[in-house]
Amino acid sequence: MAPQPTGSRKRRVPAIEAAAASSSLQGAAPADGEGPLLPKKQKRQATRPSLVHYLKGREVGARSCAGLSSFEGELRGYAGQKLPELLRERQLALGPLNKVFASQWLNARQVVCGTKCNTLFVVDVQSGQITRIPLLRDQGVRLARAKPSCGIHAIELNPSKTLLATGGENPNSLAVYQLPTLDPVCLGDRHCHKDWILAIAWMSDTVAVSGSRDGTVALWRMDPDTFSGSIAWHNDAGLPVYAHIRPRDVVTISRVSTNPSNCMVRALAYSHKNQELGAVSQDGHFYLWKDLSTLSGLLFTRLPYCRENVCLTYSEELSLYAAGSQSHVSFLDPRQPQKDIWALCAREGVTGVRSLSFYQHIITIGTGHGCLLFYEVRAQKFLEERASASLDCSPLGPARKKLKLTCGRGWLNHDDLWMNYFGGMDNFPNALYTHCYNWPEMKLFVAGGPLPSGLHGNYAALWS
């Protein structure tokens, strides 16, 4: 029989530790008189990722590690919070053009714009040069002609920035151009809207939707074969040739109001993450569609403020829709539609909210009184001026001033209407109908014009 071990296990632990220490000392002892051996390489302790390491790695072009990728979002959030107070205005001269309604960045120095006078143009924000883009004309004579002086209300680029959608010469039609050449691709002028197109959104690179003043939403599918080539087609007269298409589906929103003019589809916003389309009507109703093939309704609700809901935006980070009305911005989370819709007061005079955009948790608000406001959604407060942010925040201390960028005078046509109805008032605030950021360049393009419909003028500026 094999002998059984004797003694307690606890007594052997010091012996094991002593043997390990002795072995360690022997490894460090001299060998054959050649001096001490180097100690064994100790295991490096894991270091916690830091913002310094991330910035150093980005300087040399290193790829973001999994542990450092979160700093990308933090930097974007910090930039969105700190950039507005650093922006300075440089106005751009647009000549006699009337009221810029829509704009989008094409590249680092060019912005495409649409105006009330039905002009589509590209402005170089560095040189100020303006290039007009020919509008696409309907095929034949349409029975329902567009009303005059309505203009181009929407310009949108597809996700890959290879196509641009906007209004045609007839603002009831959807015009599509190829980028970066701005060659015409197709015109949606068959069996569709009977009134102006006020909103456009891209669902994918080849699928777009348009919302109209007649209360309809149309679904368009572009044939990739029509724009796969890099050379535009022309006829014998040298004029560009483009396809004339019809929508795949057209739906009419619910007409709750007895006034047809209040049932117009005023703005659209699409969530690529959730694949759902949001829309807002002039009378303050919000619509949500989920089935993109048939535009079947998913949600219908009334917003708390129903006057002049003219703009809508969506935050992918917050999964939140924001609609701008005459005096408030209403926020809606479609994941919790049963909860009350909360709103913030963005009243600047009585001119309302005219344009909205999300970046991270900051929403930029363009007002009808010629100023930009910035609201931090997570903190639920407006960004404050740097000088007032350091003041005493106690209830007895002075009230903090919210950060407000006031835009310049722009250009105003001194015609008879201006003289007779506005008493020759020269310093008239501009409504900021559109604004768009170029975040890689840290620039903001803002444009608009006088709010009264009868006044003729424009405003455009680069804030950087």
Side-chain angles (χ1 to χ4, degrees):
M1 179 178 291
Q4 297 295 330
T6 58
S8 174
R9 292 184 180 181
K10 293 183 179 180
R11 295 179 180 177
R12 298 179 60 188
V13 173
I16 295 175
E17 293 178 351
S22 175
S23 174
S24 176
L25 292 175
Q26 290 177 2
D32 298 333
E34 294 180 358
L37 294 177
L38 295 175
K40 291 183 178 180
K41 188 175 182 180
Q42 296 181 354
K43 195 173 184 179
R44 179 179 295 179
Q45 295 181 353
T47 58
R48 184 180 180 182
S50 68
L51 181 60
V52 176
H53 293 149
Y54 170 76
L55 293 176
K56 288 294 184 181
R58 195 175 67 170
E59 288 179 0
V60 298
R63 295 183 179 179
S64 297
C65 301
L68 299 178
S69 59
S70 61
F71 288 117
E72 194 72 49
E74 293 182 12
L75 285 177
R76 287 196 296 264
Y78 184 80
Q81 187 174 2
K82 295 300 180 182
L83 178 64
E85 62 184 359
L86 303 177
L87 295 174
R88 297 296 179 266
E89 180 190 36
R90 180 170 64 86
Q91 292 195 50
L92 302 171
L94 301 182
L97 296 175
N98 187 23
K99 298 178 184 176
V100 181
F101 282 157
S103 64
Q104 290 290 339
W105 284 91
L106 294 178
N107 49 54
R109 58 183 295 173
Q110 289 182 317
V111 180
V112 59
C113 303
T115 69
K116 182 179 179 179
C117 55
N118 221 35
T119 301
L120 183 67
F121 67 94
V122 175
V123 57
D124 189 313
V125 297
Q126 294 185 12
S127 65
Q129 180 181 356
I130 294 177
T131 304
R132 299 200 178 201
I133 308 301
L135 299 178
L136 306 190
R137 182 171 297 179
D138 288 1
Q139 188 178 33
V141 179
R142 297 192 62 176
L143 297 178
R145 300 300 299 174
K147 298 179 181 179
S149 302
C150 58
I152 297 174
H153 288 262
I155 299 174
E156 293 294 335
L157 277 60
N158 68 345
S160 64
K161 301 188 185 302
T162 56
L163 294 177
L164 179 148
T166 185
E169 183 181 69
N170 179 356
N172 302 357
S173 303
L174 180 76
V176 180
Y177 297 82
Q178 189 171 9
L179 295 177
T181 59
L182 285 171
D183 291 326
V185 173
C186 58
L187 179 68
D189 58 347
R190 302 173 60 190
H191 309 288
C192 191
H193 302 302
K194 298 179 176 60
D195 212 329
W196 316 335
I197 291 178
L198 299 179
I200 300 171
W202 285 92
M203 294 182 174
S204 68
D205 276 339
T206 57
V207 178
V209 287
S210 56
S212 172
R213 194 170 181 263
D214 62 4
T216 61
V217 176
L219 177 69
W220 307 86
R221 294 185 184 274
M222 317 301 164
D223 185 1
D225 294 336
T226 60
F227 56 88
S228 58
S230 58
I231 301 176
W233 294 93
H234 295 78
N235 59 14
D236 296 337
L239 298 176
V241 177
Y242 43 87
H244 295 265
I245 63 174
R246 66 180 63 187
R248 295 298 181 93
D249 192 18
V250 179
V251 296
T252 302
I253 63 174
S254 302
R255 297 185 178 273
V256 180
S257 174
T258 57
N259 187 357
S261 63
N262 289 334
C263 298
M264 64 182 73
V265 180
R266 199 60 185 86
L268 297 170
Y270 181 68
S271 166
H272 291 274
K273 181 174 65 176
N274 299 325
Q275 295 188 349
E276 58 190 22
L277 175 71
V280 65
S281 62
Q282 180 89 358
D283 59 351
H285 286 87
F286 178 81
Y287 305 83
L288 191 69
W289 291 276
K290 189 70 173 180
D291 190 348
L292 307 184
S293 59
T294 61
L295 287 178
S296 60
L298 178 66
L299 175 65
F300 168 73
T301 187
R302 184 177 179 84
L303 299 174
Y305 299 93
C306 59
R307 298 189 63 182
E308 296 188 29
N309 285 268
V310 298
C311 49
L312 181 71
T313 187
Y314 180 77
S315 170
E316 295 283 1
E317 290 80 6
L318 303 174
S319 298
L320 202 64
Y321 287 92
S325 66
Q326 188 181 54
S327 58
H328 290 76
V329 177
S330 302
F331 295 93
L332 174 66
D333 187 347
R335 300 168 300 179
Q336 300 174 333
Q338 69 277 6
K339 290 191 175 182
D340 293 337
I341 302 172
W342 60 282
L344 67 94
C345 181
R347 186 186 300 273
E348 287 291 324
V350 291
T351 53
V353 178
R354 297 295 159 178
S355 57
L356 291 171
S357 69
F358 261 118
Y359 184 77
Q360 296 293 308
H361 53 277
I362 302 295
I363 185 169
T364 302
I365 305 169
T367 71
H369 203 68
C371 66
L372 292 166
L373 303 175
F374 308 90
Y375 187 79
E376 188 175 357
V377 177
R378 291 191 300 190
Q380 296 190 13
K381 67 176 184 178
F382 285 96
L383 296 187
E384 298 167 349
E385 293 181 0
R386 185 188 307 177
S388 62
S390 60
L391 296 176
D392 184 12
C393 59
S394 63
L396 300 179
R400 296 184 179 183
K401 294 182 179 179
K402 57 186 175 184
L403 178 63
K404 179 170 64 175
L405 300 183
T406 303
C407 297
R409 296 171 57 181
W411 173 79
L412 183 64
N413 187 17
H414 296 173
D415 54 8
D416 293 339
L417 187 146
W418 166 76
M419 179 62 69
N420 295 332
Y421 290 92
F422 296 93
M425 184 173 61
D426 195 26
N427 189 13
F428 207 93
N430 291 295
L432 306 183
Y433 294 111
T434 178
H435 68 266
C436 52
Y437 282 94
N438 178 4
W439 282 103
E441 301 285 335
M442 295 294 181
K443 297 176 181 177
L444 172 62
F445 179 82
V446 186
L451 185 62
S453 59
L455 290 181
H456 186 112
N458 64 67
Y459 166 83
L462 176 69
W463 290 77
S464 60

